[in-house]
Amino acid sequence: MIQNGRDVPSTLFFSSRRPAGYWFWAAVAVSLVVSLTPWSQFLLYPFKLFTTWVHECGHALMTVLVGGRVTSITIDPDASGLTQSLVPVGRVARALVASSGYLGAAVVGCLLMAATRVEKWAHLILLGLGAFMLLTLVFWVRNLFGFGVVLAWGVALVTLARKGMANALRFLLSLLAIQVALHSVYDIRVLFVIDRGHSDAATMARLFLLPSWVWATAWMLVSVAMLGATLWMTRGR
């Protein structure tokens, strides 16, 4: 292109770079299409396991914050997980630990969705996530299947971040954000269908005497509100 008698590179006017929001909505579209196929459970299984790790790490991190000690994290093939820890005596501390699984996953989903708006953070976020996953292998993860899952995700995230594939990084970060956000809400439905005696909601019921469905409802409402607010603040405006 010629401007003011000079040759001006056309890339200044026609950039091949996609806007930050493009990759987020592309991830939304992919998630929707895949969820409608007969293979959705198989295709989204790795992301479900990743969300389980986020959930269990929510319990673990809160345990550390209230002065307790994490003894183990296990992740099973059915995508369930268990965090065993020593928590200080007291209803408040135990309630914070019990609530931090589902709500912690919602917080991570919100943070990831917000982070997709800043392209230069994509590789740092994925590198940080991968490094932290590998760190949990040393201190917390204690079963073979869980070890393999966390190792695979950790190595994959660190490798992608170090290679610097910009578009792939932004898309993967967006896909992680969508999947964690959706599962943080969707997984709570199990608490309404199966009142497991060892569920987080059952723990809250024992602590404060209100039925477990009350706590499940509260967690779902808070998670939906956080995700809705994040979408509005980062994209609605």
Side-chain angles (χ1 to χ4, degrees):
M1 180 176 291
I2 304 296
Q3 183 180 38
N4 296 329
R6 294 181 301 153
D7 290 331
V8 180
S10 60
T11 52
L12 294 179
F13 297 90
F14 301 101
S15 173
S16 62
R17 290 176 56 120
R18 300 286 188 179
Y22 172 87
W23 299 107
F24 178 83
W25 294 115
V28 171
V30 168
S31 296
L32 178 61
V33 171
V34 170
S35 68
L36 298 176
T37 68
W39 313 283
S40 60
Q41 290 188 343
F42 173 75
L43 294 175
L44 297 178
Y45 182 62
F47 296 97
K48 172 63 176 171
L49 294 173
F50 179 85
T51 306
T52 300
W53 173 81
V54 172
H55 178 105
E56 299 307 327
C57 282
H59 289 309
L61 289 173
M62 183 57 69
T63 297
V64 174
L65 288 176
V66 299
R69 182 170 64 88
V70 179
T71 57
S72 69
I73 286 178
T74 58
I75 299 174
D76 296 320
D78 63 356
S80 64
L82 177 65
T83 299
Q84 295 183 320
S85 57
L86 301 175
V87 182
V89 177
R91 291 187 180 183
V92 174
R94 294 171 63 189
L96 287 173
V97 172
S99 300
S100 61
Y102 292 109
L103 295 183
V107 169
V108 171
C110 290
L111 291 175
L112 289 174
M113 284 197 298
T116 59
R117 296 292 293 175
V118 185
E119 296 184 20
K120 65 181 180 180
W121 288 1
H123 75 284
L124 292 176
I125 291 169
L126 292 182
L127 183 61
L129 275 174
F132 183 68
M133 293 191 85
L134 297 177
L135 193 63
T136 62
L137 291 176
V138 178
F139 294 101
W140 293 338
V141 180
R142 290 295 179 267
N143 70 318
L144 184 59
F145 179 81
F147 190 93
V149 168
V150 177
L151 178 63
W153 263 112
V155 170
L157 294 180
V158 170
T159 301
L160 278 173
R162 289 179 61 85
K163 285 187 176 182
M165 297 179 289
N167 291 341
L169 287 177
R170 285 191 286 272
F171 179 75
L172 179 58
L173 182 60
S174 298
L175 196 58
L176 280 176
I178 293 299
Q179 290 300 314
V180 173
L182 290 177
H183 282 298
S184 69
V185 175
Y186 187 67
D187 288 351
I188 299 177
R189 85 198 190 286
V190 177
L191 300 177
F192 294 100
V193 179
I194 304 175
D195 186 12
R196 295 176 294 181
H198 298 291
S199 70
D200 297 333
T203 299
M204 294 294 289
R206 288 192 294 270
L207 289 172
F208 297 104
L209 302 181
L210 293 176
S212 58
W213 66 265
V214 172
W215 301 106
T217 301
W219 291 338
M220 181 170 286
L221 291 176
V222 171
S223 297
V224 170
M226 286 194 298
L227 295 172
T230 301
L231 279 174
W232 181 77
M233 291 178 65
T234 59
R235 288 166 176 83
R237 297 192 299 180

